[in-house]
Amino acid sequence: EEMLRSVATLTDSRFETWLVQQTIGAAKSGGSNEETTKGYPKLVPPQQRRPINNPSAYVIVSNLQSGGNIGNIVRSASIFGCEECIVVGQKRYRMTGDHGSRFDLPQRHMWTHDNVKEYLDEKRVRIYGIEIMENASPIMQYDRETGVVTFPFQPECEGGWSGSAFIFGNEGQGLSTKQREICDEFLFIPQNRGGSRDSVAGREKIGSASMNVACAAAVVLQAYSMWAGYSEARFEGEKFLT
């Protein structure tokens, strides 16, 4: 298993190196002077990710174990117009399933959660922790009588918040103490069915008590992009295009 992981990591790194070389080579031949983030060209400048003056969005990746979950969170963050993916802790991590989104979404590395808090406070960005807990607000609510949908996000105002960042809990343990400490507010995704906490009548646990973290990220980011008024990407056939 360890050998397979090493091969997969090496293959990913070689592909990244090749793609960066190809992109930089194409940019040089075309006379482009695109900026880079962590050595990767910003193929889509941040100002094109959302309409001017709309609230910004960030995702914070920390304490996750699955490369597939990390890759799919980055994929959703790119699709739904986030400015950056902030990675906390180790610099090297496996990422799979992003379908090229790692080269579209700028990534910023920080060693500690306190660094992240300071960085986002300077930008007037509110941090939302996504967790099932008593003091968390639902990601959206719909009133069937009035047909009104409400969201919990804080509106942009002069001297107030200019955007939002979302941090997601570990696949097994949820948000850590360090993660919770930097959050300004907590949100959760209501479920219509749940799962048993323990085995029942000698059987394995029944149902699911929580969503997969990458699926939760997609739900949260789509709801936020709707609330923030991000414009819909154009599409041809069955694909959305830049």
Coordinates of all heavy atoms in Angstrom, one line a residue, residues 17-51:
T17 N 4.6 19.1 -12.8 CA 5.7 19.8 -13.3 C 5.6 19.9 -14.9 O 5.9 21.0 -15.4 CB 7.0 18.9 -13.0 OG1 7.1 18.8 -11.6 CG2 8.2 19.6 -13.6
W18 N 5.1 18.8 -15.5 CA 5.0 18.9 -17.0 C 4.0 19.9 -17.4 O 4.2 20.7 -18.3 CB 4.5 17.5 -17.5 CG 4.2 17.5 -18.9 CD1 5.0 17.4 -20.0 CD2 2.9 17.7 -19.5 NE1 4.3 17.5 -21.2 CE2 3.0 17.6 -20.9 CE3 1.6 17.9 -19.0 CZ2 1.9 17.8 -21.8 CZ3 0.5 18.0 -19.8 CH2 0.7 17.9 -21.2
L19 N 2.8 20.0 -16.7 CA 1.8 20.9 -17.1 C 2.2 22.4 -16.8 O 1.9 23.2 -17.7 CB 0.5 20.6 -16.3 CG -0.7 21.5 -16.6 CD1 -1.1 21.3 -18.1 CD2 -1.9 21.1 -15.8
V20 N 2.9 22.6 -15.7 CA 3.4 24.0 -15.5 C 4.4 24.4 -16.6 O 4.3 25.5 -17.1 CB 4.1 24.1 -14.1 CG1 4.8 25.4 -13.9 CG2 3.0 23.9 -13.0
Q21 N 5.3 23.5 -17.0 CA 6.3 23.8 -18.0 C 5.6 24.1 -19.3 O 5.9 25.0 -20.0 CB 7.2 22.6 -18.2 CG 8.2 22.4 -17.0 CD 9.0 21.2 -17.1 OE1 8.7 20.3 -17.9 NE2 10.1 21.1 -16.3
Q22 N 4.5 23.3 -19.6 CA 3.8 23.5 -20.9 C 3.1 24.9 -20.9 O 3.1 25.6 -21.8 CB 2.8 22.4 -21.1 CG 3.4 21.0 -21.3 CD 4.3 21.0 -22.6 OE1 3.8 21.4 -23.6 NE2 5.5 20.4 -22.4
T23 N 2.5 25.2 -19.7 CA 1.7 26.5 -19.6 C 2.7 27.7 -19.7 O 2.4 28.6 -20.4 CB 0.9 26.5 -18.3 OG1 0.2 25.3 -18.2 CG2 0.0 27.7 -18.3
I24 N 3.8 27.6 -18.9 CA 4.7 28.7 -18.9 C 5.3 28.9 -20.3 O 5.5 30.0 -20.8 CB 5.8 28.5 -17.9 CG1 5.2 28.5 -16.5 CG2 6.9 29.5 -18.0 CD1 6.2 28.2 -15.4
G25 N 5.6 27.7 -21.0 CA 6.2 27.8 -22.3 C 5.2 28.5 -23.3 O 5.6 29.3 -24.1
A26 N 4.0 28.1 -23.2 CA 3.0 28.7 -24.1 C 2.8 30.2 -23.8 O 2.6 31.0 -24.7 CB 1.6 28.0 -23.9
A27 N 2.9 30.6 -22.5 CA 2.7 32.0 -22.1 C 3.9 32.8 -22.7 O 3.7 33.9 -23.2 CB 2.7 32.1 -20.6
K28 N 5.1 32.2 -22.6 CA 6.3 32.9 -23.1 C 6.2 33.1 -24.6 O 6.5 34.2 -25.1 CB 7.6 32.2 -22.7 CG 7.9 32.3 -21.3 CD 9.2 31.5 -21.0 CE 9.6 31.6 -19.5 NZ 10.8 30.9 -19.2
S29 N 5.8 32.1 -25.3 CA 5.7 32.2 -26.8 C 4.6 33.2 -27.2 O 4.7 33.8 -28.3 CB 5.4 30.8 -27.4 OG 4.1 30.3 -26.9
G30 N 3.6 33.4 -26.4 CA 2.6 34.3 -26.7 C 2.8 35.7 -26.1 O 1.9 36.5 -26.3
G31 N 3.9 35.9 -25.4 CA 4.2 37.2 -24.9 C 3.4 37.5 -23.6 O 3.2 38.6 -23.2
S32 N 2.8 36.5 -23.0 CA 2.0 36.7 -21.8 C 2.8 36.9 -20.6 O 3.9 36.3 -20.5 CB 1.0 35.6 -21.6 OG 0.3 35.7 -20.4
N33 N 2.4 37.7 -19.6 CA 3.1 37.9 -18.4 C 2.2 37.6 -17.2 O 2.2 38.4 -16.2 CB 3.7 39.3 -18.3 CG 2.6 40.4 -18.3 OD1 1.5 40.1 -18.6 ND2 3.0 41.6 -18.0
E34 N 1.5 36.5 -17.3 CA 0.6 36.1 -16.2 C 1.3 36.0 -14.9 O 2.4 35.5 -14.9 CB -0.2 34.8 -16.5 CG -1.1 35.0 -17.7 CD -1.8 33.7 -18.0 OE1 -1.1 32.7 -18.2 OE2 -3.0 33.6 -18.1
E35 N 0.7 36.4 -13.8 CA 1.3 36.2 -12.5 C 1.2 34.7 -12.1 O 0.5 33.9 -12.7 CB 0.5 37.0 -11.4 CG 0.6 38.5 -11.7 CD -0.2 39.3 -10.7 OE1 -0.7 38.6 -9.7 OE2 -0.4 40.5 -10.8
T36 N 2.0 34.3 -11.1 CA 1.9 32.9 -10.7 C 1.7 32.9 -9.2 O 1.9 33.8 -8.4 CB 3.3 32.2 -11.0 OG1 4.3 32.9 -10.2 CG2 3.6 32.3 -12.4
T37 N 1.1 31.8 -8.8 CA 0.8 31.5 -7.4 C 1.4 30.1 -7.1 O 1.0 29.1 -7.7 CB -0.7 31.5 -7.1 OG1 -1.2 32.8 -7.3 CG2 -0.9 31.1 -5.6
K38 N 2.4 30.0 -6.2 CA 3.0 28.7 -5.8 C 3.6 28.1 -7.1 O 3.7 26.9 -7.2 CB 2.0 27.8 -5.2 CG 1.7 28.1 -3.7 CD 1.0 27.0 -3.1 CE 1.8 25.7 -3.0 NZ 1.1 24.6 -2.4
G39 N 4.1 28.9 -8.0 CA 4.7 28.4 -9.2 C 3.7 28.1 -10.3 O 4.1 27.8 -11.4
Y40 N 2.4 28.1 -10.0 CA 1.4 27.8 -11.1 C 0.8 29.1 -11.6 O 0.4 30.0 -10.9 CB 0.2 27.0 -10.5 CG 0.6 25.7 -9.8 CD1 0.1 25.3 -8.6 CD2 1.6 24.9 -10.4 CE1 0.5 24.1 -8.0 CE2 2.0 23.7 -9.8 CZ 1.4 23.3 -8.7 OH 1.8 22.2 -8.1
P41 N 0.8 29.3 -12.9 CA 0.2 30.5 -13.5 C -1.3 30.6 -13.1 O -2.0 29.6 -13.0 CB 0.3 30.2 -15.0 CG 1.3 29.2 -15.2 CD 1.2 28.3 -14.0
K42 N -1.7 31.9 -12.9 CA -3.1 32.1 -12.6 C -3.8 32.1 -13.9 O -3.9 33.1 -14.6 CB -3.3 33.5 -11.9 CG -2.8 33.5 -10.4 CD -3.1 34.8 -9.8 CE -2.7 34.9 -8.4 NZ -2.9 36.2 -7.8
L43 N -4.3 31.0 -14.3 CA -5.0 30.9 -15.6 C -6.2 31.7 -15.7 O -6.6 32.2 -16.8 CB -5.3 29.4 -15.9 CG -4.1 28.4 -15.8 CD1 -4.5 27.0 -16.2 CD2 -3.0 28.9 -16.7
V44 N -6.9 31.9 -14.6 CA -8.1 32.8 -14.5 C -7.8 33.8 -13.5 O -7.8 33.5 -12.3 CB -9.4 32.0 -14.2 CG1 -10.5 32.9 -14.1 CG2 -9.6 30.9 -15.2
P45 N -7.6 35.1 -13.8 CA -7.3 36.1 -12.8 C -8.4 36.2 -11.8 O -9.6 36.0 -12.1 CB -7.2 37.4 -13.7 CG -6.8 36.9 -15.0 CD -7.5 35.6 -15.2
P46 N -8.1 36.5 -10.5 CA -9.1 36.5 -9.5 C -10.2 37.4 -9.7 O -11.4 37.2 -9.4 CB -8.3 36.9 -8.2 CG -6.9 36.5 -8.5 CD -6.7 36.6 -10.0
Q47 N -10.0 38.6 -10.4 CA -11.0 39.6 -10.6 C -12.1 39.0 -11.6 O -13.2 39.6 -11.6 CB -10.5 40.9 -11.1 CG -9.8 40.8 -12.5 CD -8.3 40.6 -12.4 OE1 -7.9 40.0 -11.4 NE2 -7.5 40.9 -13.4
Q48 N -11.8 38.0 -12.3 CA -12.8 37.4 -13.2 C -13.6 36.3 -12.6 O -14.5 35.8 -13.2 CB -12.1 36.9 -14.5 CG -11.4 37.9 -15.3 CD -10.7 37.4 -16.5 OE1 -11.0 36.2 -16.9 NE2 -9.8 38.1 -17.1
R49 N -13.3 36.0 -11.3 CA -14.0 34.9 -10.7 C -15.4 35.3 -10.2 O -16.2 34.5 -10.0 CB -13.2 34.3 -9.5 CG -11.9 33.8 -10.0 CD -11.0 33.3 -8.8 NE -9.8 32.7 -9.3 CZ -9.7 31.5 -9.7 NH1 -10.7 30.7 -9.7 NH2 -8.5 31.0 -10.2
R50 N -15.6 36.6 -9.9 CA -16.9 37.0 -9.4 C -17.1 38.4 -9.9 O -16.2 39.2 -10.3 CB -16.9 37.0 -7.9 CG -15.8 37.9 -7.3 CD -15.7 37.7 -5.8 NE -14.5 38.4 -5.2 CZ -14.5 39.7 -4.9 NH1 -15.6 40.4 -5.0 NH2 -13.4 40.2 -4.4
P51 N -18.4 38.9 -10.0 CA -18.6 40.3 -10.4 C -18.0 41.3 -9.4 O -17.8 41.0 -8.2 CB -20.2 40.4 -10.3 CG -20.6 39.0 -10.4 CD -19.6 38.1 -9.7

